Amino acid sequence: MIVSLPRHLLALLFGLLLSLPGAAQRLPLRLLLTTDVHMQLLDHDYTLDRPSPQFGLARTASLIEQARAEAPNHLLFDNGDLLQGSPLGDWLAHQGNWPPAQLHPAYRVLRALQVDAANLGNHEFDFGLPFLRRALQGVPFPVLSANLLDSRSGKPAFKPAVMLERRWRDEQGRVHRLRVGVIGLAPPRSVALLREQLLGRLRTQDAVTSARHWVRQLRRQGADLVLLLAHTGLEPAGQTARPLDDNVALALAELPGVDALLLGHAHGLFPSPAYAQHPGVDVEHGRIGKVPAVMAGRWGDHLGLIDLLLERRHGRWQVRESRSVLRPVWDAQQQRARAEPATWVAPLIQQEHEATRAWVQQPVAQSRVPLHTHFAQLLDSAALQLLNEAQLAQLDRELKGSRWEALPRLSAASPFKTTSLHGQAADIPVGPLALKHAVDLYPYQNRFKALKVNGAQLRDWLEMVAGQFRTIDPAGPAEQELLDPDYPSYNFDVIDGVRYAFDLTQRPRYTSYGQRRPDGGQRVALLEYQGQPVRPEQEFVVATNSYRAEGGGRFAALQGAEVVAEGRADSRQVLLDHMRQLGTVSTVPDQNWWIQPVPGTRLVFRGLAEAARHLEQTPGVNTLGQPEAGLQRFSLGGR
């Protein structure tokens, strides 16, 4: 016989069953992530001096408000590289522009967003350790880093981890107290490159080693969940993380006791099809191994979300289900904004914003030629020619009267803003040049340096550079993609003072991690100095920057190379001084490097549609089809 009970008795019985030992209790929790904001606090392009709908923490703030309204149980994190990367950050770093009594504007905005915890990235240290220590004064939430240690004591130089205690309601409305452990991790190699800024006061520890230790510590302290707030990306497909590597998400996911990964540093988007070929990665649900993960781009262009369903059995909370998604502020397909800026952000930093706008408008020189980086990875460009000429002029001053003065002098410069890396390019029209244009061409806080290398090292340097390109099959399709999306354009050094050519039918010699490939070929098909082949023992002095000179990019050829000049000025100041000295810029690329044609093959790449207006001055590059979502397919050579 079936007995029917009243509804209120059924509810009471259900509640009693859930309260029994071993009965499951389920609680939803949403994790929200911003990362690599790089001082793009507002949706403002300081180079063009106008709002942009494609980025800005002010727009991300609107997505955060919406995401919180949908999920009462939530935590918000920022994953570092917050304090540097835009003219606003540069202006604040100048002495006197930021009153000591005020909270740094970036942390002012994060405070208003009610961030639960933040992490330190490598660019937090670009303006020096004293600047960072001052910026952290008065921050009302924990700012973490577990693997940056005091050089003398060996103890963490910053708060390594935090235990957040929160009260949340489960699916039945009952309140539970959860203890969430959060560990901050910095990219050790990138921080270690900033030796001058740190002055020996910090040393780095391997991120995986640090994480393993602190996960155990937090578990011993009774953490219900442990999250890694890690300024790190995924290792390139097919490569295993090594000690002190920057990108170690796959290795972190293998650590026992980790419930979620909140990633950054690589400016990538996870989950996304870009990582579909990585073994052990589930881009549909957003997991690395079995661990939920998210990485939210850069400049506030995406909000990262991980939705967890926690289940409590036998007194312990575990992740039963998860799903990671990204919410963009800009719809690239529809070419429209997905989020408007939160109106409360601009008033918080209005004074600093207006001062920055005025600062970047300072006149510097005039230009008779357009300076852009749309095709700088494919052909010699006036923009990189100007950078290299500035560095060579500085090198002449540095070497005068030294024992290196008689050696041949070269210069290496990279395109920092490209479609392949940022979805943007430097694009400076003919006319007045202002400080903002120097920032556009050189956005980083590198310092001028020069290295002594021999011909064998120089050739290997260029072999590493040539890893940017895919291998072209002469017997393959009529159209073949040219650029490797895993290779950052800031590692594509154009070296002036020699002539060279790349043969892309050969396999690359190095991986993007600087590891020698067992099947690697020889892509540098020609390398000449003053019309003669470069000899392996021939010596050169090459002007470059502190990032490359101190190991940035893992150029195996430069390991142990002697530093023969260290300028006091940063690399952008070298460019500014050169522009001012010229007065009028008329730089023309000398076409000292090129990609050898592959008969019967059209080399294809994607760039911004607006780049097409420069084609009259760019022989050999043509458009293919019609623009789509602001992008245009271009070809180099072909049938």
Side-chain angles (χ1 to χ4, degrees), residues 232-246:
T232 186
L234 278 80
E235 302 89 319
Q239 296 188 29
T240 302
R242 297 178 294 178
L244 298 179
D245 272 350
D246 276 1

Side-chain angles (χ1 to χ4, degrees), residues 198-489:
L198 302 181
L199 297 174
R201 285 177 267 190
L202 293 184
R203 64 181 176 87
T204 60
Q205 186 178 54
D206 177 59
V208 179
T209 301
S210 293
R212 182 182 293 110
H213 169 78
W214 286 103
V215 169
R216 290 171 179 165
Q217 290 290 100
L218 289 171
R219 289 295 184 187
R220 289 192 193 107
Q221 295 168 20
D224 296 300
L225 296 174
V226 174
L227 315 177
L228 297 186
L229 187 54
H231 197 77
T232 186
L234 278 80
E235 302 89 319
Q239 296 188 29
T240 302
R242 297 178 294 178
L244 298 179
D245 272 350
D246 276 1
N247 295 313
V248 292
L250 292 169
L252 291 174
E254 295 177 356
L255 295 178
V258 175
D259 292 298
L261 290 171
L262 302 158
L263 306 174
H265 184 57
H267 292 195
L269 298 174
F270 184 86
S272 75
Y275 296 98
Q277 302 306 314
H278 277 63
V281 171
D282 178 355
V283 295
E284 180 181 355
H285 295 92
R287 299 188 191 114
I288 300 175
K290 297 180 180 179
V291 181
V294 73
M295 178 165 48
R298 89 293 183 254
W299 301 2
D301 61 358
H302 287 76
L303 175 66
L305 294 88
I306 301 179
D307 280 322
L308 303 176
L309 183 60
L310 308 180
E311 189 172 85
R312 190 168 186 263
R313 286 184 178 274
H314 306 290
R316 182 181 176 189
W317 290 100
Q318 293 180 309
V319 176
R320 180 61 181 267
E321 299 175 15
S322 72
R323 190 169 190 87
S324 303
V325 296
L326 295 167
R327 292 187 179 178
V329 303
W330 172 255
D331 188 327
Q333 294 299 319
Q334 299 295 323
Q335 290 288 288
R336 63 179 181 85
R338 295 281 295 271
E340 295 302 318
T343 56
W344 56 264
V345 177
L348 283 179
I349 58 171
Q350 193 66 32
Q351 182 178 346
E352 295 87 352
H353 168 62
E354 294 300 337
T356 301
R357 289 182 62 203
W359 177 64
V360 298
Q361 299 297 333
Q362 296 178 54
V364 175
Q366 294 280 326
S367 183
R368 292 178 179 171
V369 295
L371 301 169
H372 65 88
T373 56
H374 287 293
F375 308 119
Q377 295 161 282
L378 316 165
L379 301 163
D380 203 5
S381 73
L384 291 192
Q385 189 78 39
L386 179 64
L387 282 170
N388 274 321
E389 287 178 359
Q391 291 184 167
L392 284 169
Q394 180 69 20
L395 185 60
D396 286 344
R397 291 188 287 270
E398 296 287 343
L399 294 188
K400 190 172 183 178
S402 76
R403 59 194 176 109
W404 315 112
E405 188 174 12
L407 288 179
R409 299 170 210 177
L410 314 177
S411 178
S414 306
F416 295 115
K417 289 179 68 174
T418 61
T419 310
S420 63
L421 181 64
H422 290 301
Q424 293 188 327
D427 195 341
I428 303 166
V430 172
L433 292 174
L435 188 148
K436 65 181 182 180
H437 296 124
V439 175
D440 207 23
L441 291 173
Y442 215 111
Y444 296 109
Q445 299 301 123
N446 297 326
R447 299 188 68 80
F448 175 88
K449 290 203 174 187
L451 301 174
K452 182 171 75 72
V453 301
N454 61 31
Q457 288 173 299
L458 182 64
R459 180 178 289 275
D460 244 20
W461 188 338
L462 290 170
E463 288 288 356
M464 179 67 184
V465 165
Q468 178 194 242
F469 304 110
R470 296 177 185 266
T471 302
I472 306 301
D473 182 359
E479 291 186 1
Q480 297 183 46
E481 291 286 339
L482 183 58
L483 298 180
D484 182 345
D486 289 333
Y487 196 103
S489 65

Side-chain angles (χ1 to χ4, degrees), residues 501-517:
F502 294 128
D503 177 3
L504 304 187
T505 65
Q506 300 291 311
R507 292 183 178 275
R509 181 173 294 185
Y510 293 101
T511 70
S512 60
Y513 259 27
Q515 296 169 318
R516 186 75 177 253
R517 294 179 184 268

Side-chain angles (χ1 to χ4, degrees), residues 543-579:
T544 181
N545 57 44
S546 53
Y547 175 76
R548 185 71 71 242
E550 295 178 1
R554 292 187 178 275
F555 281 56
L558 303 184
Q559 291 180 9
E562 183 179 357
V563 176
V564 298
E566 298 186 69
R568 294 182 180 179
D570 63 39
S571 297
R572 186 193 301 155
Q573 190 62 49
V574 168
L575 173 61
L576 277 168
D577 290 346
H578 185 66
M579 291 164 67

